[in-house]
Amino acid sequence: MARAPSRTSRSRPARSPWRRRLGVALKTLLALAVLAVGALVVAVYIARSQLPSFESLKSSPNGQMVRVHAADGSVLVSLGPSYGQWLSYDRIPAVMTDATVAVEDRRFRSHLGVDPIGIVRSVGVRYERGHWVQGGSTITQQLARTVFLNNQKKFGRKFREAILALALERKFSKDQILELYLNKVYYGGGAYGIDAASRKFFGHGASQLSLTEAAVIAGLVKAPSNYSPTADAEAAVGRAGVVIQQMVRNGFITSSQAAAADPNDVRLAPAPRQNSVRYFTDWALPQLELLIDETERPLEVWTTLDPAMQRAADEAVRANAPAGTQGALVALDRDGSVRAMVGGTDYVTSNYNRATKAQRQPGSAFKLFVYLSALEAGRTPEDREIDEPVTIDGWSPRNDSRRFSGEVTLRTAFAFSLNTIAAKLGYAVGFQTVADMARRFGITTAVNTHPSMVLGTSEVRVIDMTRAFASVGNKGVAVTPFGITRVTAEGEEIYRHEVDRSHVLVAPNVAAQMIDLLQTTVNTGTGRAAQIGRPVAGKTGTTTSSKDGWFLGFSSGLTTGVWMGRDDAKPVGGLHGGTAPARAFAQFMRQAVANRPIEQFDTQVTLPEAQLEPDAESYYGAPDNSSFVGDDGLPIDPGAAADPQAPVFGPERPVVQPVPRARDDDAGQDDGADPRDAPSQAPAQRLDQDWLDRVTGRPQRDQARDQGRDRAAPRGQPPRAPSGDTSGDRPYQ
């Protein structure tokens, strides 16, 4: 007999399938939530265990800062991330912490590192606006991103950021997190931390921040590039007003305090000059890679630059450079320290450093090496040469005055930049010897050995030419330019420059004679515009068609080189070494040496034997280094026959290779040769005054000198041209 179902089983209603599924889903979600929370807890505590200590986080800047100081200790420029003084929490002004919490994370003191309410609010704004306006990140999350992550807007990064924020909250107190945040967050302009930002924008440390200044800094975190006072002062002030209102709304300040705090009254510190100073720092700082191997600790770099001299140099170049031209200036002290460097008229529009990189022809300024070679070979400033037409290997130099002066001393020839005399001297000592002298004195560019090289056809750099003149002014001892004196890292000195004064380039008497010639150029020759009321020695230089103008000289231990011209090397009307460059030199040097004692040179200036009219470097505008031109100033064919009346050197008329004329005290010295070894050989010819007299058909030296006294022009007037030169019957133009 079948058994009837019990009452209990008949009364239990059957469960619907959807309710069973819902229950399973809830249980699953609960299990997953428990697992997620467990995983989160594990992840947080793993992250916490791997976090650095508080002290480690304090001492780990995000990059290397380099702060460059001038010779007087003032800061020229800060490069890389800038970190100010670390301020502990109790030293941070309350207005700074209040302003930061009010505008960045008003529930900072209550959340666990992540603010769910802030996230919901951020999502709501995103839905209303159609794009992300605020991220809902807490101060702790921002700290985690600053120290450990990046700013990529990806979910994976946000998840890691949340884990790290929770870990930070578990390891550090709220005050410690705020201390780390305020000392590490980026505030724009390269400034990390409130102290660096305060010094950059207001000129003082963060411990002295006022309410309005704190509001300005707190408002920068949202968008440092947009609200930076140096980029947009109006936007920074407007953002500060928002911060102050947030402080009122969150009870940090009263309405009356807010009314008294006007962001428009904030006085911003003037931005450091980034103009000509950057030419110097761009040149000096790359040298750090060769001097030190520190790549992590912040560096303090102490340099040789004199701010007052730098301002004077900048003004001198700008005031004197002809319209449409560029200018460069380098000033070296007697030990090689660079006191001023200008690489162009405006760094902002052109950061190309013409003082250290540009290669331009120096014109007659290159004669420094020609005369140094001749003086070292035994010539003296009182020696005499004949200024007359001359051809060397098909090249016929001309004087810029288009005249020839006859017999003159080397002093006169140098003072008035007579090209024919320079050509003769270069041939006498050898063009290779002149090139070697230039390299000896620091010319690092290629130097050709063509005859025209004596007039400056090889390209040089301003800093190299200035170095050469400085070495002459240093009595023949090498001067090596340098810009960095010492480097410190966190108070530890890791480099100090040592000046080498042991490298002698020429004998002191050779340097003294060269200084004698250079003085004459400034006192009576082409460099008269460079006079500054105290002893000055220097030389002008002008290239073909006035493409380049130079003046280089020294006084009171300071050597300055000035160049002017166009970057495209086009002619500049009226540009000569004795005009704009010499005037810029004088304007700069008057200020640069004003507080230095007047120094007399070892040799007193000796005036030329007659006042010749200066060459075109001062007045005419014709080239002083033209090659292959005839006596009439017209171009000639290098292969054409030379003027039969002019002395010819080179393969066109074979001559015995000349040797430098010996000094008077060398006369009669035994050179070790026995004259009986070659009784039939004619004596070797020497390129001295007697030889030139014989070639040109002029009277012998002593006879010509006696006759010259009879027909000498009154002092201050040019002498007559030598006989046979009909142009000597009329005065120079």
Side-chain angles (χ1 to χ4, degrees):
M1 176 174 182
R3 190 174 178 183
S6 65
R7 181 178 300 178
T8 305
S9 61
R10 289 197 302 266
S11 62
R12 180 182 298 169
R15 297 180 63 184
S16 62
W18 69 268
R19 294 186 64 182
R20 288 198 303 271
R21 294 190 188 100
L22 179 61
V24 172
L26 290 175
K27 292 177 182 179
T28 303
L29 289 176
L30 181 60
L32 291 176
V34 171
L35 289 175
V37 171
L40 179 63
V41 171
V42 171
V44 168
Y45 276 90
I46 290 176
R48 180 186 183 279
S49 66
Q50 296 176 346
L51 287 176
S53 66
F54 185 75
E55 293 300 321
S56 297
L57 290 175
K58 286 174 59 177
S59 60
S60 58
N62 302 330
Q64 187 177 38
M65 181 271 290
V66 178
R67 187 157 52 192
V68 185
H69 298 264
D72 62 0
S74 61
V75 177
L76 293 175
V77 64
S78 293
L79 303 176
S82 175
Y83 292 87
Q85 181 182 4
W86 187 277
L87 297 181
S88 60
Y89 183 78
D90 57 355
R91 294 181 58 201
I92 299 174
V95 290
M96 187 69 245
T97 57
D98 292 345
T100 301
V101 171
V103 74
E104 290 296 322
D105 185 5
R106 62 176 178 266
R107 278 180 291 276
F108 170 73
R109 294 289 178 179
S110 60
H111 62 63
L112 299 179
V114 177
D115 184 7
I117 298 177
I119 295 175
V120 172
R121 184 181 63 252
S122 175
V123 173
V125 173
R126 165 69 175 84
Y127 179 78
E128 293 176 0
R129 303 284 184 87
H131 58 89
W132 290 106
V133 176
Q134 54 190 25
S137 295
T138 65
I139 285 177
T140 314
Q141 287 177 272
Q142 294 180 48
L143 176 64
R145 184 192 319 137
T146 298
V147 177
F148 303 109
L149 302 173
N150 54 46
N151 288 319
Q152 292 181 348
K153 294 183 177 180
K154 296 182 178 180
F155 179 78
R157 193 269 296 170
K158 293 293 291 184
F159 180 75
R160 292 193 302 272
E161 177 185 294
I163 295 295
L164 288 170
L166 293 170
L168 286 169
E169 292 276 355
R170 304 284 74 73
K171 186 163 187 174
F172 305 121
S173 68
K174 292 287 186 177
D175 290 351
Q176 287 178 317
I177 291 173
L178 262 182
E179 179 180 333
L180 290 170
Y181 178 85
L182 292 173
N183 282 283
K184 280 184 169 292
V185 74
Y186 181 59
Y187 288 103
Y192 286 80
I194 57 173
D195 192 66
S198 179
R199 295 180 188 278
K200 179 176 182 62
F201 301 130
F202 308 122
H204 59 73
S207 60
Q208 307 170 32
L209 285 171
S210 66
L211 172 58
T212 51
E213 291 172 340
V216 170
I217 293 178
L220 297 176
V221 178
K222 181 179 180 180
S225 59
N226 294 336
Y227 296 124
S228 172
T230 56
D232 190 339
E234 184 176 349
V237 169
R239 176 65 176 167
V242 173
V243 174
I244 291 175
Q245 292 304 316
Q246 285 292 101
M247 294 178 72
V248 174
R249 188 174 296 113
N250 290 280
F252 291 111
I253 60 174
T254 64
S255 299
S256 59
Q257 288 175 311
D262 186 357
N264 291 291
D265 294 336
V266 172
R267 300 185 61 180
L268 299 176
R273 287 185 61 116
Q274 300 295 311
N275 201 348
S276 64
V277 167
R278 290 300 302 272
Y279 288 118
F280 172 78
T281 56
D282 288 352
W283 168 75
L285 291 182
Q287 302 169 28
L288 287 174
E289 295 183 3
L290 303 177
L291 303 179
I292 61 174
D293 55 8
E294 176 61 59
T295 59
E296 295 183 358
R297 291 185 294 174
L299 300 179
E300 302 285 342
V301 180
W302 306 84
T303 70
T304 60
L305 195 77
D306 185 305
M309 290 191 190
Q310 183 67 22
R311 288 191 295 271
D314 203 14
E315 293 169 359
V317 170
R318 291 189 180 194
N320 292 280
T325 68
Q326 283 288 348
L329 183 151
V330 174
L332 301 179
D333 221 325
R334 64 176 85 246
D335 61 352
S337 54
V338 177
R339 297 303 184 189
M341 177 181 288
V342 176
T345 55
D346 184 24
Y347 181 87
V348 176
T349 58
S350 174
N351 60 11
Y352 179 64
N353 193 339
R354 296 156 189 86
T356 61
K357 295 180 180 179
Q359 299 182 28
R360 304 297 290 250
Q361 292 183 348
S364 286
F366 195 83
K367 291 176 183 175
L368 174 80
F369 309 115
V370 179
Y371 279 77
L372 278 171
S373 301
L375 294 172
E376 188 173 63
R379 306 303 296 269
T380 71
E382 301 300 332
D383 286 351
R384 308 181 77 83
E385 288 285 356
I386 298 178
D387 176 23
E388 60 186 341
V390 62
T391 299
I392 303 175
D393 291 349
W395 173 64
S396 297
R398 69 169 184 232
N399 295 325
D400 292 333
S401 63
R402 297 170 174 78
R403 305 283 186 245
F404 300 99
S405 306
E407 188 177 60
V408 295
T409 64
L410 296 189
R411 175 180 290 105
T412 301
F414 187 82
F416 297 108
S417 205
L418 300 181
N419 293 333
T420 58
I421 303 300
K424 289 182 179 182
L425 292 176
Y427 183 74
V429 300
F431 302 119
Q432 185 62 53
T433 300
V434 176
D436 291 342
M437 181 66 72
R439 296 189 186 98
R440 188 194 309 179
F441 272 77
I443 300 303
T444 57
T445 49
V447 179
N448 68 64
T449 54
H450 304 307
S452 60
M453 63 92 72
V454 299
L455 305 185
T457 56
S458 298
E459 294 182 334
V460 296
R461 298 185 179 92
V462 176
I463 193 170
D464 289 347
M465 286 295 291
T466 308
R467 171 186 185 179
F469 276 76
S471 298
V472 173
N474 201 31
K475 301 180 181 179
V477 178
V479 171
T480 303
F482 69 96
I484 298 175
T485 57
R486 63 189 179 98
V487 181
T488 61
E490 297 180 345
E492 176 190 358
E493 184 174 276
I494 58 177
Y495 170 78
R496 178 175 289 273
H497 180 79
E498 298 292 338
V499 177
D500 182 7
R501 295 183 172 88
S502 63
H503 193 187
V504 179
L505 302 178
V506 292
N509 69 300
V510 173
Q513 292 180 90
M514 193 69 243
I515 293 173
D516 183 12
L517 298 179
L518 292 168
Q519 285 186 90
T520 308
T521 299
V522 176
N523 280 271
T524 64
T526 60
R528 285 179 288 182
Q531 295 175 4
I532 61 173
R534 61 171 66 197
V536 176
K539 184 71 181 78
T540 56
T542 309
T543 60
T544 305
S545 303
S546 297
K547 295 177 181 177
D548 303 89
W550 294 73
F551 187 87
L552 303 108
F554 47 85
S555 177
S556 301
L558 189 68
T559 303
T560 299
V562 180
W563 166 87
M564 291 180 183
R566 289 174 58 98
D567 287 336
D568 57 10
K570 291 183 179 180
V572 180
L575 177 62
H576 317 300
T579 55
R583 290 194 295 267
F585 171 91
Q587 178 178 331
F588 167 73
M589 289 291 284
R590 287 191 191 100
Q591 299 181 59
V593 302
N595 296 324
R596 296 188 175 205
I598 296 176
E599 297 181 13
Q600 300 293 336
F601 297 119
D602 291 341
T603 56
Q604 296 297 320
V605 64
T606 303
L607 299 180
E609 55 191 347
Q611 293 290 327
L612 298 181
E613 195 63 32
D615 65 14
E617 290 180 304
S618 295
Y619 300 111
Y620 297 109
D624 69 355
N625 67 340
S626 64
S627 56
F628 301 104
V629 295
D631 299 337
D632 56 0
L634 299 176
I636 64 171
D637 180 359
D643 183 353
Q645 300 299 321
V648 178
F649 307 107
E652 296 181 4
R653 186 179 299 176
V655 297
V656 178
Q657 176 65 35
V659 297
R661 190 175 63 184
R663 298 190 182 95
D664 294 339
D665 53 55
D666 290 338
Q669 291 183 356
D670 185 6
D671 60 2
D674 188 348
R676 292 174 296 180
D677 293 341
S680 60
Q681 184 178 1
Q685 299 185 51
R686 308 182 71 171
L687 185 59
D688 56 10
Q689 187 64 49
D690 293 336
W691 184 89
L692 289 170
D693 291 341
R694 289 196 301 273
V695 172
T696 58
R698 292 175 56 85
Q700 296 299 308
R701 179 181 179 184
D702 294 338
Q703 180 182 357
R705 186 179 301 171
D706 293 338
Q707 294 176 356
R709 293 193 187 101
D710 296 336
R711 66 172 188 269
R715 185 171 181 81
Q717 298 182 12
R720 293 177 178 268
S723 58
D725 184 359
T726 58
S727 65
D729 294 335
R730 58 181 182 272
Y732 289 152
Q733 302 298 319

